[in-house]
Amino acid sequence: MATYIGIGFFVVIILLFVKFSKKANAPQPVPASNNIEDLLSKHVSFYQRLSSGQQESFSKRVSQFLSATRITPVGNVQLTDLDKVYIGASAIIPIFHFPEWQYTNLDEVLVYPGSFDEGFQQHSKDRNVLGMVGDGALNRQMILSQESLRQGYEQKNAGNTGIHEFVHLLDKSDGATDGLPEFFMPSSLKDPWLKQVHRAIAEIRQKGDDINPYAGTNEAEFLAVISEYFFTKPVLLEQHHPEIYQMLQTMFRKKDGQGK
Ligand SMILES: [Zn+2]
């Protein structure tokens, strides 16, 4: 009898162990600091354009972000150190000139293999969502497609899904994802900014522009898309849209010539 109770107890312990070890995602180790520096200097052009003092603080903040945020691969995703560095860089680029800023509205970044639709069905027909900031049950979570995260840094055009989603998160930090990130934007900039945004959206819808047409969706998407452009191709944005460029400089506290 005692033996059966002993065996039963043992089985329960094993089942509990299996249940919890399955449920909990193994914490992803943070890459070593020298590896973060090395990967940033080889793969992230924003980082390459910084002074050496700025590079030091940038890579420190990437490391802090990765220690504080759960990065969880979904499905058959294998996360590399470079993927983690891309996520950390996407988080730090928009807030680099806000040294005190912490993402208090984010616990976890889920990384999907390809694109997914808004119901997170990876295999449905409409596979065109590349990233998303969660709401409702998915509050405090961000979802990124691994493929499109990588493309943002490897294709060298004006698009970057990682930066796009982190800018949505900044926009959301005041309670409304409305294209007006109130903690970042001086209140005097609000009206001139909206005027520019509405003019630009109208132009995009009418005749197209060098701005990704997705920016024409609404004010929040405009902010996210134009920020991708601002952080990846600042010189080009300044040439093509000088007024918008100047306002983004003010919003993101970037001084002239810094990190261009
Ligand atoms: Zn968006």
Side-chain angles (χ1 to χ4, degrees), residues 14 38 55 82 87 100 154 167 181 205 218 222 248 256:
I14 295 282
D38 186 47
Q55 287 183 338
L82 184 57
I87 294 171
E100 306 301 323
E154 288 159 16
V167 169
R205 289 181 185 169
N218 56 39
F222 185 86
L248 289 169
D256 242 352

Side-chain angles (χ1 to χ4, degrees), residues 17-250:
F17 180 77
V18 169
K19 181 173 159 51
F20 283 106
S21 59
K22 252 190 182 169
K23 202 174 171 193
N25 290 300
Q28 288 283 317
V30 177
S33 341
N34 56 354
N35 197 23
I36 292 180
E37 279 165 32
D38 186 47
L39 293 171
L40 285 169
S41 65
K42 284 185 185 142
H43 301 274
V44 177
S45 57
F46 181 93
Y47 179 85
Q48 291 159 355
R49 298 191 295 261
L50 296 174
S51 70
S52 66
Q54 288 177 319
Q55 287 183 338
E56 199 180 313
S57 85
F58 189 96
S59 72
K60 229 180 246 167
R61 289 175 75 190
V62 166
S63 171
Q64 283 162 356
F65 174 84
L66 293 175
S67 313
T69 314
R70 226 167 30 246
I71 313 279
T72 307
V74 177
N76 57 1
V77 166
Q78 300 286 332
L79 277 182
T80 63
D81 277 359
L82 184 57
D83 290 323
K84 295 175 201 169
V85 164
Y86 284 157
I87 294 171
S90 306
I92 302 306
I93 286 171
I95 53 149
F96 184 57
H97 300 292
F98 297 81
E100 306 301 323
W101 182 265
Q102 304 282 345
Y103 285 99
T104 51
N105 55 351
L106 181 72
D107 296 329
E108 183 173 32
V109 178
L110 300 168
V111 185
Y112 278 67
S115 53
F116 42 87
D117 71 5
E118 293 189 32
F120 309 110
Q121 304 299 315
Q122 290 178 64
H123 300 290
S124 80
K125 281 180 197 152
D126 184 25
R127 296 180 59 187
N128 59 356
V129 177
L130 308 173
M132 167 175 269
V133 168
D135 255 320
L138 290 168
N139 200 21
R140 309 184 63 80
Q141 287 184 321
M142 176 184 288
I143 299 170
L144 288 173
S145 132
Q146 183 181 39
E147 189 186 346
S148 120
L149 172 73
R150 290 176 173 178
Q151 280 170 2
Y153 290 92
E154 288 159 16
Q155 283 188 347
K156 312 272 181 218
N157 59 23
N160 186 304
T161 297
I163 294 176
H164 180 109
E165 296 309 323
F166 277 96
V167 169
H168 276 319
L169 207 57
L170 298 178
D171 186 5
K172 194 187 179 193
S173 62
D174 54 37
T177 313
D178 55 1
L180 294 171
E182 317 229 345
F183 296 139
F184 293 82
M185 187 178 253
S187 52
S188 60
L189 193 62
K190 194 174 155 179
D191 289 339
W193 172 252
L194 279 179
K195 213 180 254 180
Q196 279 296 333
V197 170
H198 292 148
R199 190 182 304 162
I201 287 180
E203 262 171 46
I204 292 167
R205 289 181 185 169
Q206 271 171 23
K207 54 184 170 80
D209 203 332
D210 65 320
I211 301 171
N212 177 343
Y214 192 61
T217 310
N218 56 39
E219 291 91 340
E221 294 306 338
F222 185 86
L223 176 69
V225 170
I226 204 72
S227 301
E228 297 175 59
Y229 193 163
F230 178 70
F231 289 115
T232 54
K233 296 273 177 231
V235 176
L236 208 62
L237 182 66
E238 187 177 20
Q239 284 166 7
H240 292 185
H241 305 276
E243 282 164 318
I244 289 176
Y245 176 84
Q246 285 305 329
M247 289 183 188
L248 289 169
Q249 290 265 76
T250 310

